[in-house]
PDB file of all heavy atoms in Angstrom:
ATOM      1  N   ASN A  57     113.420-206.346  67.426  1.00 95.00           N
ATOM      2  CA  ASN A  57     113.951-205.508  68.518  1.00 95.00           C
ATOM      3  C   ASN A  57     113.060-205.630  69.798  1.00 95.00           C
ATOM      4  O   ASN A  57     113.603-205.650  70.886  1.00 95.00           O
ATOM      5  CB  ASN A  57     114.080-204.035  68.100  1.00 95.00           C
ATOM      6  CG  ASN A  57     115.133-203.835  67.046  1.00 95.00           C
ATOM      7  OD1 ASN A  57     116.098-204.645  66.954  1.00 95.00           O
ATOM      8  ND2 ASN A  57     115.021-202.795  66.279  1.00 95.00           N
ATOM      9  N   GLU A  58     111.766-205.678  69.542  1.00 96.00           N
ATOM     10  CA  GLU A  58     110.886-205.829  70.743  1.00 96.00           C
ATOM     11  C   GLU A  58     111.152-207.125  71.506  1.00 96.00           C
ATOM     12  O   GLU A  58     111.149-207.100  72.715  1.00 96.00           O
ATOM     13  CB  GLU A  58     109.427-205.789  70.206  1.00 96.00           C
ATOM     14  CG  GLU A  58     108.358-205.825  71.304  1.00 96.00           C
ATOM     15  CD  GLU A  58     106.962-205.910  70.839  1.00 96.00           C
ATOM     16  OE1 GLU A  58     106.765-206.045  69.601  1.00 96.00           O
ATOM     17  OE2 GLU A  58     106.031-205.748  71.633  1.00 96.00           O
ATOM     18  N   GLN A  59     111.427-208.214  70.738  1.00 97.00           N
ATOM     19  CA  GLN A  59     111.728-209.466  71.413  1.00 97.00           C
ATOM     20  C   GLN A  59     113.021-209.414  72.159  1.00 97.00           C
ATOM     21  O   GLN A  59     113.149-209.965  73.262  1.00 97.00           O
ATOM     22  CB  GLN A  59     111.675-210.608  70.396  1.00 97.00           C
ATOM     23  CG  GLN A  59     112.013-211.999  70.963  1.00 97.00           C
ATOM     24  CD  GLN A  59     110.981-212.487  71.942  1.00 97.00           C
ATOM     25  OE1 GLN A  59     110.028-211.805  72.282  1.00 97.00           O
ATOM     26  NE2 GLN A  59     111.198-213.687  72.472  1.00 97.00           N
ATOM     27  N   PHE A  60     114.065-208.824  71.568  1.00 97.00           N
ATOM     28  CA  PHE A  60     115.353-208.721  72.195  1.00 97.00           C
ATOM     29  C   PHE A  60     115.178-207.915  73.515  1.00 97.00           C
ATOM     30  O   PHE A  60     115.843-208.277  74.553  1.00 97.00           O
ATOM     31  CB  PHE A  60     116.386-208.057  71.346  1.00 97.00           C
ATOM     32  CG  PHE A  60     117.155-209.057  70.425  1.00 97.00           C
ATOM     33  CD1 PHE A  60     116.928-209.163  69.085  1.00 97.00           C
ATOM     34  CD2 PHE A  60     118.022-209.909  71.016  1.00 97.00           C
ATOM     35  CE1 PHE A  60     117.581-210.152  68.381  1.00 97.00           C
ATOM     36  CE2 PHE A  60     118.747-210.808  70.252  1.00 97.00           C
ATOM     37  CZ  PHE A  60     118.556-210.891  68.911  1.00 97.00           C
ATOM     38  N   GLU A  61     114.448-206.846  73.483  1.00 97.00           N
ATOM     39  CA  GLU A  61     114.254-206.010  74.641  1.00 97.00           C
ATOM     40  C   GLU A  61     113.480-206.784  75.758  1.00 97.00           C
ATOM     41  O   GLU A  61     113.787-206.675  76.924  1.00 97.00           O
ATOM     42  CB  GLU A  61     113.538-204.696  74.339  1.00 97.00           C
ATOM     43  CG  GLU A  61     114.359-203.762  73.466  1.00 97.00           C
ATOM     44  CD  GLU A  61     113.521-202.579  72.971  1.00 97.00           C
ATOM     45  OE1 GLU A  61     112.393-202.515  73.268  1.00 97.00           O
ATOM     46  OE2 GLU A  61     114.086-201.685  72.321  1.00 97.00           O
ATOM     47  N   TYR A  62     112.559-207.591  75.257  1.00 98.00           N
ATOM     48  CA  TYR A  62     111.759-208.423  76.229  1.00 98.00           C
ATOM     49  C   TYR A  62     112.615-209.492  76.856  1.00 98.00           C
ATOM     50  O   TYR A  62     112.517-209.728  78.082  1.00 98.00           O
ATOM     51  CB  TYR A  62     110.520-209.010  75.548  1.00 98.00           C
ATOM     52  CG  TYR A  62     109.584-209.716  76.442  1.00 98.00           C
ATOM     53  CD1 TYR A  62     108.774-208.948  77.322  1.00 98.00           C
ATOM     54  CD2 TYR A  62     109.451-211.107  76.504  1.00 98.00           C
ATOM     55  CE1 TYR A  62     107.844-209.561  78.169  1.00 98.00           C
ATOM     56  CE2 TYR A  62     108.557-211.704  77.339  1.00 98.00           C
ATOM     57  CZ  TYR A  62     107.752-210.993  78.198  1.00 98.00           C
ATOM     58  OH  TYR A  62     106.883-211.582  79.044  1.00 98.00           O
ATOM     59  N   ILE A  63     113.505-210.129  76.095  1.00 98.00           N
ATOM     60  CA  ILE A  63     114.348-211.161  76.627  1.00 98.00           C
ATOM     61  C   ILE A  63     115.294-210.553  77.642  1.00 98.00           C
ATOM     62  O   ILE A  63     115.598-211.118  78.730  1.00 98.00           O
ATOM     63  CB  ILE A  63     115.170-211.856  75.490  1.00 98.00           C
ATOM     64  CG1 ILE A  63     114.238-212.750  74.668  1.00 98.00           C
ATOM     65  CG2 ILE A  63     116.321-212.655  76.095  1.00 98.00           C
ATOM     66  CD1 ILE A  63     114.936-213.394  73.471  1.00 98.00           C
ATOM     67  N   ALA A  64     115.895-209.322  77.352  1.00 98.00           N
ATOM     68  CA  ALA A  64     116.763-208.670  78.282  1.00 98.00           C
ATOM     69  C   ALA A  64     116.000-208.343  79.586  1.00 98.00           C
ATOM     70  O   ALA A  64     116.610-208.507  80.691  1.00 98.00           O
ATOM     71  CB  ALA A  64     117.285-207.405  77.621  1.00 98.00           C
ATOM     72  N   TRP A  65     114.782-207.922  79.473  1.00 98.00           N
ATOM     73  CA  TRP A  65     113.995-207.592  80.655  1.00 98.00           C
ATOM     74  C   TRP A  65     113.737-208.894  81.498  1.00 98.00           C
ATOM     75  O   TRP A  65     113.876-208.859  82.737  1.00 98.00           O
ATOM     76  CB  TRP A  65     112.684-206.921  80.266  1.00 98.00           C
ATOM     77  CG  TRP A  65     111.785-206.642  81.448  1.00 98.00           C
ATOM     78  CD1 TRP A  65     111.934-205.598  82.334  1.00 98.00           C
ATOM     79  CD2 TRP A  65     110.647-207.340  81.855  1.00 98.00           C
ATOM     80  NE1 TRP A  65     110.971-205.662  83.272  1.00 98.00           N
ATOM     81  CE2 TRP A  65     110.134-206.692  83.039  1.00 98.00           C
ATOM     82  CE3 TRP A  65     109.972-208.502  81.360  1.00 98.00           C
ATOM     83  CZ2 TRP A  65     109.006-207.176  83.692  1.00 98.00           C
ATOM     84  CZ3 TRP A  65     108.861-208.926  82.031  1.00 98.00           C
ATOM     85  CH2 TRP A  65     108.403-208.292  83.179  1.00 98.00           C
ATOM     86  N   GLN A  66     113.378-209.954  80.843  1.00 98.00           N
ATOM     87  CA  GLN A  66     113.092-211.180  81.539  1.00 98.00           C
ATOM     88  C   GLN A  66     114.412-211.730  82.194  1.00 98.00           C
ATOM     89  O   GLN A  66     114.340-212.181  83.358  1.00 98.00           O
ATOM     90  CB  GLN A  66     112.626-212.246  80.559  1.00 98.00           C
ATOM     91  CG  GLN A  66     111.234-212.101  80.064  1.00 98.00           C
ATOM     92  CD  GLN A  66     110.176-212.546  81.031  1.00 98.00           C
ATOM     93  OE1 GLN A  66     110.444-212.807  82.219  1.00 98.00           O
ATOM     94  NE2 GLN A  66     108.947-212.685  80.591  1.00 98.00           N
ATOM     95  N   ARG A  67     115.525-211.582  81.535  1.00 97.00           N
ATOM     96  CA  ARG A  67     116.783-212.048  82.176  1.00 97.00           C
ATOM     97  C   ARG A  67     117.092-211.211  83.403  1.00 97.00           C
ATOM     98  O   ARG A  67     117.504-211.799  84.475  1.00 97.00           O
ATOM     99  CB  ARG A  67     117.969-211.883  81.220  1.00 97.00           C
ATOM    100  CG  ARG A  67     117.935-212.939  80.121  1.00 97.00           C
ATOM    101  CD  ARG A  67     119.094-212.790  79.125  1.00 97.00           C
ATOM    102  NE  ARG A  67     120.375-212.870  79.798  1.00 97.00           N
ATOM    103  CZ  ARG A  67     121.552-212.814  79.199  1.00 97.00           C
ATOM    104  NH1 ARG A  67     121.577-212.767  77.838  1.00 97.00           N
ATOM    105  NH2 ARG A  67     122.672-212.900  79.832  1.00 97.00           N
ATOM    106  N   ARG A  68     116.868-209.901  83.373  1.00 97.00           N
ATOM    107  CA  ARG A  68     117.167-209.053  84.560  1.00 97.00           C
ATOM    108  C   ARG A  68     116.195-209.488  85.726  1.00 97.00           C
ATOM    109  O   ARG A  68     116.613-209.589  86.873  1.00 97.00           O
ATOM    110  CB  ARG A  68     116.978-207.591  84.233  1.00 97.00           C
ATOM    111  CG  ARG A  68     118.062-207.019  83.381  1.00 97.00           C
ATOM    112  CD  ARG A  68     118.034-205.494  83.381  1.00 97.00           C
ATOM    113  NE  ARG A  68     116.786-205.039  82.775  1.00 97.00           N
ATOM    114  CZ  ARG A  68     116.557-204.777  81.497  1.00 97.00           C
ATOM    115  NH1 ARG A  68     117.547-204.925  80.655  1.00 97.00           N
ATOM    116  NH2 ARG A  68     115.433-204.294  81.080  1.00 97.00           N
ATOM    117  N   LEU A  69     114.994-209.710  85.377  1.00 96.00           N
ATOM    118  CA  LEU A  69     113.955-210.002  86.358  1.00 96.00           C
ATOM    119  C   LEU A  69     114.320-211.324  87.080  1.00 96.00           C
ATOM    120  O   LEU A  69     114.210-211.444  88.298  1.00 96.00           O
ATOM    121  CB  LEU A  69     112.580-210.109  85.707  1.00 96.00           C
ATOM    122  CG  LEU A  69     111.390-210.432  86.607  1.00 96.00           C
ATOM    123  CD1 LEU A  69     111.148-209.305  87.625  1.00 96.00           C
ATOM    124  CD2 LEU A  69     110.100-210.668  85.778  1.00 96.00           C
ATOM    125  N   PHE A  70     114.679-212.309  86.265  1.00 97.00           N
ATOM    126  CA  PHE A  70     114.951-213.631  86.858  1.00 97.00           C
ATOM    127  C   PHE A  70     116.203-213.609  87.659  1.00 97.00           C
ATOM    128  O   PHE A  70     116.370-214.275  88.701  1.00 97.00           O
ATOM    129  CB  PHE A  70     115.013-214.737  85.767  1.00 97.00           C
ATOM    130  CG  PHE A  70     113.636-215.302  85.394  1.00 97.00           C
ATOM    131  CD1 PHE A  70     112.748-214.459  84.650  1.00 97.00           C
ATOM    132  CD2 PHE A  70     113.284-216.574  85.782  1.00 97.00           C
ATOM    133  CE1 PHE A  70     111.494-215.029  84.326  1.00 97.00           C
ATOM    134  CE2 PHE A  70     112.000-217.054  85.436  1.00 97.00           C
ATOM    135  CZ  PHE A  70     111.145-216.293  84.675  1.00 97.00           C
ATOM    136  N   GLU A  71     117.276-212.894  87.152  1.00 95.00           N
ATOM    137  CA  GLU A  71     118.504-212.869  87.840  1.00 95.00           C
ATOM    138  C   GLU A  71     118.376-212.169  89.207  1.00 95.00           C
ATOM    139  O   GLU A  71     118.948-212.614  90.206  1.00 95.00           O
ATOM    140  CB  GLU A  71     119.567-212.060  87.045  1.00 95.00           C
ATOM    141  CG  GLU A  71     120.087-212.859  85.820  1.00 95.00           C
ATOM    142  CD  GLU A  71     120.999-211.995  84.953  1.00 95.00           C
ATOM    143  OE1 GLU A  71     121.300-210.808  85.278  1.00 95.00           O
ATOM    144  OE2 GLU A  71     121.420-212.492  83.872  1.00 95.00           O
ATOM    145  N   GLN A  72     117.626-211.035  89.276  1.00 95.00           N
ATOM    146  CA  GLN A  72     117.371-210.293  90.518  1.00 95.00           C
ATOM    147  C   GLN A  72     116.684-211.180  91.551  1.00 95.00           C
ATOM    148  O   GLN A  72     116.961-210.959  92.725  1.00 95.00           O
ATOM    149  CB  GLN A  72     116.526-209.066  90.253  1.00 95.00           C
ATOM    150  CG  GLN A  72     117.302-208.016  89.409  1.00 95.00           C
ATOM    151  CD  GLN A  72     116.339-206.882  88.941  1.00 95.00           C
ATOM    152  OE1 GLN A  72     115.169-206.921  89.242  1.00 95.00           O
ATOM    153  NE2 GLN A  72     116.901-205.925  88.177  1.00 95.00           N
ATOM    154  N   ASN A  73     115.889-212.151  91.127  1.00 93.00           N
ATOM    155  CA  ASN A  73     115.169-213.027  92.040  1.00 93.00           C
ATOM    156  C   ASN A  73     115.889-214.384  92.230  1.00 93.00           C
ATOM    157  O   ASN A  73     115.277-215.249  92.897  1.00 93.00           O
ATOM    158  CB  ASN A  73     113.726-213.254  91.532  1.00 93.00           C
ATOM    159  CG  ASN A  73     112.894-211.982  91.686  1.00 93.00           C
ATOM    160  OD1 ASN A  73     112.341-211.662  92.731  1.00 93.00           O
ATOM    161  ND2 ASN A  73     112.790-211.274  90.528  1.00 93.00           N
ATOM    162  N   GLY A  74     117.088-214.472  91.772  1.00 93.00           N
ATOM    163  CA  GLY A  74     117.793-215.714  91.948  1.00 93.00           C
ATOM    164  C   GLY A  74     117.233-216.926  91.289  1.00 93.00           C
ATOM    165  O   GLY A  74     117.404-218.081  91.811  1.00 93.00           O
ATOM    166  N   ILE A  75     116.534-216.745  90.198  1.00 95.00           N
ATOM    167  CA  ILE A  75     115.890-217.860  89.517  1.00 95.00           C
ATOM    168  C   ILE A  75     116.791-218.305  88.316  1.00 95.00           C
ATOM    169  O   ILE A  75     117.322-217.456  87.619  1.00 95.00           O
ATOM    170  CB  ILE A  75     114.529-217.434  88.971  1.00 95.00           C
ATOM    171  CG1 ILE A  75     113.594-217.019  90.105  1.00 95.00           C
ATOM    172  CG2 ILE A  75     113.878-218.601  88.216  1.00 95.00           C
ATOM    173  CD1 ILE A  75     112.269-216.382  89.694  1.00 95.00           C
ATOM    174  N   PRO A  76     116.998-219.611  88.149  1.00 97.00           N
ATOM    175  CA  PRO A  76     117.897-220.099  87.132  1.00 97.00           C
ATOM    176  C   PRO A  76     117.499-219.715  85.744  1.00 97.00           C
ATOM    177  O   PRO A  76     116.320-219.678  85.419  1.00 97.00           O
ATOM    178  CB  PRO A  76     117.877-221.594  87.307  1.00 97.00           C
ATOM    179  CG  PRO A  76     116.634-221.886  88.033  1.00 97.00           C
ATOM    180  CD  PRO A  76     116.400-220.689  88.895  1.00 97.00           C
ATOM    181  N   ILE A  77     118.493-219.509  84.879  1.00 98.00           N
ATOM    182  CA  ILE A  77     118.321-219.139  83.522  1.00 98.00           C
ATOM    183  C   ILE A  77     119.083-220.129  82.652  1.00 98.00           C
ATOM    184  O   ILE A  77     120.329-220.228  82.810  1.00 98.00           O
ATOM    185  CB  ILE A  77     118.692-217.746  83.143  1.00 98.00           C
ATOM    186  CG1 ILE A  77     117.996-216.717  84.055  1.00 98.00           C
ATOM    187  CG2 ILE A  77     118.463-217.421  81.630  1.00 98.00           C
ATOM    188  CD1 ILE A  77     118.460-215.329  83.860  1.00 98.00           C
TER     189      ILE A  77
END
Side-chain angles (χ1 to χ4, degrees):
N57 290 338
E58 183 182 10
Q59 178 65 358
F60 270 108
E61 291 173 358
Y62 188 71
I63 289 176
W65 179 76
Q66 288 280 15
R67 286 180 58 175
R68 287 194 299 270
L69 182 64
F70 277 74
E71 286 175 4
Q72 290 169 2
N73 289 278
I75 301 173
I77 304 173

